[in-house]
Amino acid sequence: MRVGFGYDVHRLIQGRKLVLGGVIIPFEKGLLGYSDADVVLHALCDALLGAAGLGDIGQHFPDTEPRFKGISSMELLARTFQLVRDKGFCINNVDATILAEAPKLDQYRSAMEANIAGVLELEPADVNIKATTMEGLGAIGKGEAIAATCVVTLREK
Ligand code: MG
C-alpha cells in the first residue's frame, strides 16, 4: 500500500465562483486561481501524485500554460487519475479536510464525495470529506482564504 498527502490554499476574493470538490457553493466570494481554484481537488490531485511517486500538480498542469486557464479541476482530477492508473495503481480511499471559516459546508459534503467517487471510479463510501474552521485564527480564520488537506492510499493493480 502507498500513502500520499496533499495540501492547497487559495485566496478568497469578490467576483469569483466558489467551487469545492466540484460543487458550486453559493457564497459572496470565490477562490482566486488560474483554474477554478478548487482547493479540495488540488489537494486530492497532489495526494494522488504523491502516492504514485509522480511529483506534483504544478509539474503536470503548470499555470503558465493557457490551455489550463479556467479549467475545471474535475478535468485536472480525471487527468491525474489517468496518470496514476497508467503507473499501475488503484485507489483504496480518499480522506480530505477543508479548512474554511465560512460558508458552512456540511450540506455539500455528500455531493463532493459523489463527484470525486464518480471521477475516481470509487464507491462514495471510499471518499470522505470533512470540514472545520480555524477558530478565527490566521488568514483562513479571518475569511481571507480556504485551504484543504488530503490523504489517499493506493495499491498496485
Ligand atoms: Mg491550487
Side-chain angles (χ1 to χ4, degrees), residues 98-102 104 131-136 140:
I98 305 167
L99 303 149
E101 211 63 20
K104 283 271 167 249
T132 187
T133 72
M134 289 290 287
E135 301 283 339
I140 295 167

Side-chain angles (χ1 to χ4, degrees), residues 59-127:
Q59 272 173 269
H60 293 278
F61 313 110
D63 63 7
T64 48
E65 281 197 33
R67 67 195 163 112
F68 298 127
K69 186 162 174 59
I71 194 171
S72 163
S73 297
M74 292 290 279
E75 175 64 27
L76 297 180
L77 180 62
R79 292 185 193 201
T80 300
F81 180 44
Q82 192 62 53
L83 293 169
V84 167
R85 257 200 310 213
D86 290 349
K87 193 121 191 250
F89 294 112
C90 294
I91 303 167
N92 287 323
N93 76 301
V94 170
D95 182 27
T97 300
I98 305 167
L99 303 149
E101 211 63 20
K104 283 271 167 249
L105 297 171
D106 260 11
Q107 61 179 305
Y108 305 107
R109 284 166 44 187
S110 55
M112 294 182 207
E113 289 167 355
N115 276 346
I116 291 166
V119 173
L120 300 181
E121 298 174 14
L122 294 168
E123 297 300 321
D126 298 327
V127 179

Side-chain angles (χ1 to χ4, degrees), residues 11-13 27 29 100-102 136-146:
R11 190 181 291 271
L12 270 172
I13 61 156
F27 192 53
K29 292 179 179 177
E101 211 63 20
L137 297 166
I140 295 167
K142 290 188 182 75
E144 295 169 2
I146 290 177

Side-chain angles (χ1 to χ4, degrees), residues 8-10 39 42:
D8 196 26
V9 59
H10 281 261
V39 285
H42 292 185

